């Protein structure tokens, strides 16, 4: 059909002349006898050479066969494919370049811990994508219970563990490969971490604690700590003794002074242990925490008389142990100071900003 052709409607009475066409949408615009323009689908109209006004069908000449109505094939409009959504940018944190992976367990019925099943989530608290595989069972009869890929700084449901399956999960292995997409990164070793779950903990309410990853209390298993224990177990006693002697003979490194940011007048103090010490060989977690708290107290004493001074303590996200200790000290020893989470844009979730205020004497 073309502009100027006379048509009639297949599913309605009437017709007219084609005044314009929109082939992309499969539409024709039909001008009727009164001059009104009516839009119609191409597949719902038919072109005729001459239309009888009385019958709305093609006229016939005497002695000639009736004009055949041409077969009208419906116009198939193929929609253009929707553009693929652009992937969201990966939100990286300052401490996320050190892979930290956890398992989180939730009871399906916290009032019946002795009989209910447990939901298991994998927590990727790092800036890396992870290919993971979780296997359990005896050495000669292992089976994969969950595998896949998890994005950076995400949590993912991996399995539901029944009460009867807990014994098998006491011999769990978690394997993982860390990588980044579309950017350079420091190569990370492949993880193959044996996890020794204590089934008794699943039956005790106090094992399920508040945490920074979920709204509900969870039983957390830090695979990063399990991996460190595995590496320490491979270290010989002679190497441990050598490391201890090296630490004892090493002169103390002077602490890095806290320098204010001249642009904003804010003092930044990085409490990551590798910023405070050259090595942590031979030190326990308690020793490292005490070293970080000593630095915190030293800075607070240095600036306690500078009213209005803002200090940002960068403690990292981690398990929140250092953060909780700092908040405890601010609520007890430094109650005159105001504190809040530091700028998320600059420090992510891992920093606290303290403002020095005038200390009022106790009555």
């Amino acid at each position: 059909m073309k502009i100027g052709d006379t048509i009639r409607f297949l599913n309605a009475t009437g017709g007219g002349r084609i005044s314009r066409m929109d082939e992309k949408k499969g539409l024709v615009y039909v001008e009727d006898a009164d001059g009104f323009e009516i839009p119609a689908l191409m597949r719902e109209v038919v072109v005729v050479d001459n239309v009888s006004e009385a019958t709305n069908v093609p006229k016939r000449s005497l002695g000639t066969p009736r004009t055949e109505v041409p077969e009208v094939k419906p116009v198939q409009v193929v929609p253009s494919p929707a553009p693929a959504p652009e992937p969201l940018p990966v939100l990286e944190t300052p401490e996320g370049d050190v892979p930290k992976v956890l398992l989180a367990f939730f009871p399906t019925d916290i009032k019946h811990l002795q009989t209910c099943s447990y939901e298991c989530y994998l927590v990727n608290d790092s800036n890396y994508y992870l290919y993971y595989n979780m296997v359990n069972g005896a050495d000669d009869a292992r089976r994969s219970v969950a595998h896949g890929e998890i994005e950076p700084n995400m949590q993912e449901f991996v399995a539901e563990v029944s009460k009867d399956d807990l014994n098998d999960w006491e011999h769990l292995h978690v394997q993982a490969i860390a990588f980044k997409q579309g950017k350079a990164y420091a190569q990370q070793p492949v993880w193959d971490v044996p996890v020794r779950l204590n089934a008794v903990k699943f039956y005790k309410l106090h094992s399920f604690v508040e945490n920074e990853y979920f709204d509900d209390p969870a039983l957390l298993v830090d695979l990063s700590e399990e991996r460190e224990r595995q590496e320490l177990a491979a270290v010989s006693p002679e190497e441990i003794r050598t490391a201890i002697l090296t630490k004892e003979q090493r002169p103390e490194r002077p602490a890095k002074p806290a320098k204010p940011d001249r642009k904003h007048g804010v003092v930044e103090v990085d409490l990551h242990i590798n910023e405070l010490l050259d090595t942590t060989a031979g030190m326990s977690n308690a020793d490292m925490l005490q070293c970080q708290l000593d630095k915190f107290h030293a800075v607070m004493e240095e600036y306690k008389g500078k009213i209005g001074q803002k200090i940002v303590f960068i403690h990292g996200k981690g398990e929140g142990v250092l953060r909780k200790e700092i908040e405890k000290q601010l609520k007890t020893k430094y109650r005159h100071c105001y504190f809040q989470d530091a700028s998320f844009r600059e420090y992510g979730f891992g920093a606290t900003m303290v403002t020095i205020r005038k200390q009022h004497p106790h009555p």
Side-chain angles (χ1 to χ4, degrees):
M1 59 186 68
K2 61 184 183 298
I3 295 175
D5 283 350
T6 301
I7 63 94
R8 68 178 178 85
F9 301 121
L10 292 177
N11 299 322
T13 303
R17 184 183 61 84
I18 297 176
S19 58
R20 56 193 177 101
M21 302 173 64
D22 188 340
E23 295 186 6
K24 185 175 181 180
K25 295 182 179 179
L27 291 175
V28 294
Y29 293 85
V30 182
E31 183 179 334
D32 63 9
D34 296 324
F36 291 104
E37 194 175 62
I38 304 170
L41 292 173
M42 290 181 178
R43 64 173 178 266
E44 294 183 355
V45 301
V46 61
V47 178
V48 294
D49 294 333
N50 194 10
V51 177
S52 169
E53 295 181 359
T55 63
N56 195 37
V57 296
K59 294 180 179 179
R60 288 186 298 165
S61 299
L62 186 61
T64 60
R66 182 172 178 168
T67 304
E68 293 292 335
V69 177
E71 180 183 359
V72 180
K73 296 183 179 180
V75 178
Q76 294 183 350
V77 180
V78 180
S80 58
E86 294 185 3
L88 296 175
V90 174
L91 177 63
E92 296 194 347
T93 60
E95 66 275 15
D97 275 343
V98 178
K100 183 179 178 65
V101 186
L102 305 95
L103 294 178
F105 293 89
F106 299 89
T108 55
D109 185 353
I110 200 166
K111 295 182 179 179
H112 299 88
L113 295 178
Q114 302 288 336
T115 56
C116 72
S117 58
Y118 300 87
E119 294 180 345
C120 177
Y121 284 77
L122 182 67
V123 180
N124 179 13
D125 186 9
S126 76
N127 298 334
Y128 296 89
Y129 289 82
L130 290 180
Y131 286 131
Y132 67 89
N133 182 37
M134 297 170 56
V135 294
N136 67 13
D139 290 337
D140 56 347
R142 292 206 173 272
R143 61 187 182 92
S144 176
V145 294
H147 57 85
E149 177 184 324
I150 183 170
E151 297 180 1
N153 300 299
M154 293 292 287
Q155 305 91 7
E156 181 174 298
F157 173 79
V158 291
E160 182 169 336
V161 188
S162 69
K163 178 179 179 296
D164 296 334
D165 290 336
L166 274 180
N167 290 333
D168 288 339
W169 280 63
E170 287 184 347
H171 303 285
L172 183 70
H173 267 254
V174 179
Q175 302 164 329
I177 299 175
F179 65 97
K180 291 186 179 182
Q181 292 185 355
K183 64 185 301 184
Y185 62 94
Q187 183 175 349
Q188 300 297 317
V190 176
W191 287 37
D192 187 3
V193 183
V195 184
R196 297 294 179 259
L197 296 179
N198 185 353
V200 177
K201 288 186 176 181
F202 287 78
Y203 307 138
K204 297 181 179 180
L205 185 60
H206 64 78
S207 298
F208 300 88
V209 297
E210 299 291 334
N211 59 88
E212 60 184 309
Y213 303 106
F214 300 93
D215 294 333
D216 298 324
L219 190 160
L220 295 179
V221 179
D222 191 333
L223 300 182
S224 306
E225 291 184 356
E226 296 287 341
R227 184 185 180 200
E228 290 178 3
R229 292 192 189 99
Q230 179 188 15
E231 293 174 349
L232 288 175
V235 179
S236 67
E238 184 60 34
E239 290 175 314
I240 295 176
R241 283 194 295 270
T242 301
I244 294 175
L245 290 174
T246 302
K247 180 177 182 296
E248 292 175 348
Q249 295 171 3
R250 177 180 57 83
E252 291 293 330
R253 182 178 74 167
K256 294 182 179 180
K259 297 182 179 180
D261 182 338
R262 294 183 180 180
K263 183 178 179 181
H264 302 97
V266 178
V267 175
E268 290 185 354
V269 183
D270 194 338
L271 294 179
H272 284 93
I273 195 65
N274 60 330
E275 291 293 326
L276 304 179
L277 300 174
D278 289 328
T279 178
T280 58
M283 297 181 68
S284 66
N285 289 338
D287 294 335
M288 290 186 281
L289 177 61
Q290 188 58 53
C291 176
Q292 292 169 311
L293 290 176
D294 290 344
K295 177 64 176 180
F296 165 76
H297 287 298
V299 173
M300 290 298 295
E301 290 300 316
E302 180 182 353
Y303 288 95
K304 67 181 180 181
K306 297 185 178 181
I307 309 302
Q309 178 65 59
K310 297 183 184 296
I311 309 170
V312 173
F313 291 98
I314 304 171
H315 44 65
K317 187 163 57 173
E319 292 186 357
V321 177
L322 178 57
R323 179 194 187 109
K324 291 177 182 177
E325 286 297 325
I326 289 176
E327 290 183 357
K328 179 180 177 182
Q329 296 298 317
L330 289 169
K331 291 177 181 177
T332 55
K333 187 173 181 179
Y334 306 102
R335 287 182 295 176
H336 60 287
C337 295
Y338 173 77
F339 68 94
Q340 66 187 78
D341 290 338
S343 168
F344 172 79
R345 178 173 294 179
E346 295 185 43
Y347 305 101
F349 295 103
T352 298
M353 184 170 72
V354 178
T355 303
I356 304 296
R357 290 183 174 178
K358 185 176 180 180
Q359 186 171 4
H360 299 284
H362 295 290

